């Protein structure tokens, strides 16, 4: 079978976006890494939130080999992934006002912690209110979003603001409105979204920057090892015990 032209075009588009965020977001990634390192060093906790497919990048840094044991998923029932039935309910819940406040109030997040909020468009009520309420509680908020949406679409929050307007640090994924990198003359709709690839890379780059910052301060980053390598379970057991009061995904 011959090579797929469209598959190659998608890889090229994704690589181009990764190069852009690497070069254009380097300072913001370093700042976000420093904020996470500050929190780890101070005894604080780390949380990540995303709705719909944006939740994939949040989940990608929680309880995984090579990841920080302290990163916890701030889950909102019905909006994490497409496991809710019907799947369209998740999209509807993102527009419900007041949901973010209820989730934060019942979560272990408190002043001094870090919350990473991932939302491609940043225009729905849920991520906007999540950021607003988190900052009101004294959390530092890192937003991962596409600035293009704030420039080319209208907010769905009553304030008329976007996620980017309520963050201490913003990482711009550079994803174009519509999140589809390819078109074809015989296909009516654009296709091949790259937001998951780029956003996950931004998250992993930020965690790498945090690890670098901790090492420079003489602090061992609280990393998990793969359970499929020799000694991995013993290592993880020690990390889980040492940082147990800051890990919430196992209770």
């Amino acid at each position: 079978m011959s090579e797929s032209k469209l598959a190659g075009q998608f890889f090229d588009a994704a690589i181009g976006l990764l190069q852009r965020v690497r070069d254009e977001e380097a300072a913001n990634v370093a700042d976000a890494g420093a904020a996470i390192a500050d929190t780890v060093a101070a005894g604080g906790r780390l949380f990540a939130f995303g709705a719909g497919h944006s939740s994939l990048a949040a989940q990608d840094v929680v309880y995984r080999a090579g990841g920080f044991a302290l990163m916890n998923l701030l889950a909102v029932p019905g909006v994490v992934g497409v496991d809710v039935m019907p799947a369209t309910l998740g999209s509807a819940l993102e527009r419900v006002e007041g949901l973010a406040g209820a989730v934060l109030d019942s979560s272990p997040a408190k002043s001094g912690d870090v919350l990473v909020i991932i939302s491609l468009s940043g225009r729905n009520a849920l991520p906007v209110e999540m950021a607003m309420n988190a900052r009101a509680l004294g959390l530092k908020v890192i937003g991962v979003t596409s600035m293009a949406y704030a420039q080319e679409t209208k907010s769905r929050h009553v304030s008329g603001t976007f996620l980017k307007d309520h963050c201490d640090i913003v990482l711009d994924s550079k994803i174009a409105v519509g999140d589809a990198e390819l078109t074809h003359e015989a296909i009516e709709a654009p296709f091949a979204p790259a937001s998951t690839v780029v956003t996950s890379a931004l998250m992993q780059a930020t965690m790498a920057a945090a690890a670098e910052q901790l090492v420079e301060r003489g602090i061992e980053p609280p990393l998990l090892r793969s359970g499929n390598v020799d000694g991995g379970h013993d290592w993880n057991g020690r990390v889980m015990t040492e940082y147990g009061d800051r890990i919430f995904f196992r209770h």
Side-chain angles (χ1 to χ4, degrees), residues 122 135 145 147 150-151 162-168 170:
R135 291 181 87 184
T145 188
M147 298 292 279
Q151 297 164 355
F162 288 78
L163 169 62
K164 72 173 184 65
D165 299 314
H166 307 285
C167 298
D168 297 286
V170 176

Side-chain angles (χ1 to χ4, degrees), residues 45 69-70 72 239-240 243-251:
R45 293 83 61 80
L70 304 189
N72 301 277
V239 172
M240 291 285 197
Y243 295 96
D245 61 336
R246 299 154 74 180
I247 299 171
F248 304 102
F249 50 74
R250 63 178 184 173
H251 297 305

